[in-house]
Amino acid sequence: MTSQPAPPRPTRLIATDLDGTLLCAGGTVSERTAAALAAAEAAGVQVVFVTGRPPRWMQQVSAHIGGHGVAICSNGGAVVDVRRGELLESFPLGAETALTVVEVLRAKLPGTSFAFEYPAGFAREPGYELRMWGSDEDHPIGPAEELLGSGGPVQGLFKLLAKHPDLDPDKLLGEAREAAGHLVEITRSAPVPLLEISAPGVTKASTLARWCAGRGIDRSEVVAFGDMPNDLEMLAWAGTAYAVANAHPQVLAAVPLHTVSNEQDGVAAVLETLLGR
């Protein structure tokens, strides 16, 4: 007598990246995507945003965040109740380790400058240029040693950012991992040479797995979506994973299932099929 394979588990949770995956250009949620997210929630499927964005950049999508109101931010470094503006859990990178990484990357990649995401906001070195949301907000500016030092403003660091003026983004990532990958998690999600650095073992996947375990959700019941290298661990962990058509070549190669691009509502297209719409 041969055993039969177990039937696939139903989808209980959608885990989706935001920029380049769920959101259209300009960080907007299309009407079709908004409807698909609402339909999933109505059908009892939780939707969790799992993003590289810091908590302070989540209000733009709060209307679509689902009944739980929670997002996993900063590549797994923070779990946030967006509606209440409350930090629920964090997995900080220690100041000593962060300073060691700063020293190593300065030596390996001259010209690199650094910025810091932490519960109270954002801080940066003078050479770290801002070209994204919040560039007009007041924040501490100074050398990493002062910002991270005893009594400095950066406490409970979610994510260390490292920007280089001109290296190819993938080359920057490879060289940084070679130099400091044994100390921290290093990834990237931006089209510019910008690294995102988290505490050892802290990724989108690690925090999502913790979230699911606390709710009795097995990885086989999770469908995940992403587009950039910082999504790879999450896409590998989820029972089912999709790369959007505009994803980084490394992601497209690693993930067998593809959907149309973010501008064509790729996440919504899959959700509509899953929900039989």
Side-chain angles (χ1 to χ4, degrees):
M1 180 176 178
T2 58
S3 60
Q4 296 297 317
R9 297 197 184 189
T11 299
R12 292 183 60 195
L13 186 137
I14 302 298
T16 180
D17 173 54
L18 291 177
D19 298 286
T21 300
L22 184 80
L23 305 182
C24 299
T28 59
V29 179
S30 73
E31 290 185 7
R32 180 185 179 188
T33 294
L37 295 176
E41 290 280 347
V45 179
Q46 292 191 47
V47 177
V48 176
F49 297 156
V50 189
T51 178
R53 286 189 181 204
R56 70 184 190 280
W57 284 358
M58 294 302 298
Q59 288 304 321
Q60 297 96 329
V61 295
S62 62
H64 310 284
I65 206 164
H68 51 77
V70 174
I72 295 171
C73 299
S74 298
N75 289 334
V79 181
V80 180
D81 186 318
V82 175
R83 295 200 184 96
R84 295 167 58 187
E86 180 182 351
L87 177 64
L88 301 177
E89 196 171 19
S90 67
F91 304 94
L93 172 60
E96 289 187 9
T97 301
L99 283 172
T100 298
V101 172
V102 166
E103 292 173 4
V104 168
L105 294 184
R106 279 177 180 162
K108 175 75 171 180
L109 302 161
T112 302
S113 55
F114 298 88
F116 315 90
E117 294 176 1
Y118 58 107
F122 174 81
R124 65 183 174 93
E125 291 192 311
Y128 188 100
E129 294 185 3
L130 289 182
R131 297 180 180 176
M132 298 192 68
W133 306 306
S135 59
D136 58 346
E137 297 174 358
D138 289 335
H139 54 263
I141 301 174
E145 292 76 8
E146 291 182 8
L147 296 172
L148 290 167
S150 177
V154 179
Q155 302 294 325
L157 181 64
F158 296 148
K159 186 165 71 171
L160 172 65
L161 299 164
K163 183 183 289 185
H164 194 274
D166 50 30
L167 272 181
D168 171 80
D170 287 325
K171 180 176 176 61
L172 176 65
L173 177 59
E175 295 201 8
R177 282 178 169 171
E178 181 180 345
H182 61 293
L183 298 171
V184 287
E185 302 294 334
I186 308 176
T187 189
R188 58 169 289 254
S189 64
V192 299
L194 173 64
L195 302 175
E196 302 168 46
I197 301 168
S198 303
V202 175
T203 65
K204 288 186 175 187
S206 67
T207 304
L208 177 62
R210 184 181 178 92
W211 164 270
C212 290
R215 287 148 187 82
I217 298 173
D218 188 82
R219 62 192 291 182
S220 66
E221 300 169 308
V222 177
V223 178
F225 298 86
D227 74 311
M228 289 296 283
N230 66 326
D231 295 314
L232 282 169
E233 292 88 355
M234 175 177 73
L235 296 172
W237 176 83
T240 305
Y242 288 85
V244 288
N246 53 289
H248 187 283
Q250 185 180 357
V251 177
L252 291 171
V255 180
L257 298 177
H258 298 170
T259 183
V260 294
S261 74
N262 63 320
E263 296 293 342
Q264 296 174 296
D265 300 310
V267 174
V270 174
L271 293 188
E272 289 163 359
T273 299
L274 288 175
L275 298 171
R277 300 181 69 200

